[in-house]
Amino acid sequence: EIMPSLVGSEMCIETATIYELWVLFNTPEAAPWAALAVGASVAFLTGLACIHLLLTMLERVGFWPFVLYRLVLGTVILVVLT
């Protein structure tokens, strides 16, 4: 089951994106298409590199550091809240 708040937030993001694109296409001055293309390309390549590095790290180290981090954080939260 998908949480309604998740669906609502995605709808807000999509609506905002469509609105911003509509404003961008309907402005009288020229849009900086070259800068937008460079920014999108750099973001895409950076995302790919981060995913590759994360998967490489998970192959070498595994999930144990994450498990230990969650156990320590959970213990600290329980101690602070009680």
Side-chain angles (χ1 to χ4, degrees):
E1 179 176 319
I2 298 177
M3 296 178 353
S5 61
L6 179 63
V7 174
S9 64
E10 284 192 21
M11 288 174 58
C12 288
I13 292 170
E14 291 166 359
T15 304
T17 302
I18 291 169
Y19 173 74
E20 289 295 329
L21 286 173
W22 182 80
V23 169
L24 183 64
F25 283 118
N26 291 317
T27 54
E29 63 269 358
W33 294 111
L36 289 172
V38 168
S41 299
V42 168
F44 175 74
L45 293 174
T46 304
L48 283 180
C50 288
I51 291 170
H52 173 72
L53 290 173
L54 177 65
L55 291 176
T56 302
M57 184 192 78
L58 286 175
E59 285 179 356
R60 289 184 185 165
V61 179
F63 281 103
W64 278 110
F66 180 71
V67 169
L68 294 174
Y69 153 75
R70 297 300 294 180
L71 288 172
V72 170
L73 180 65
T75 304
V76 169
I77 289 173
L78 284 174
V79 168
V80 168
L81 291 179
T82 56

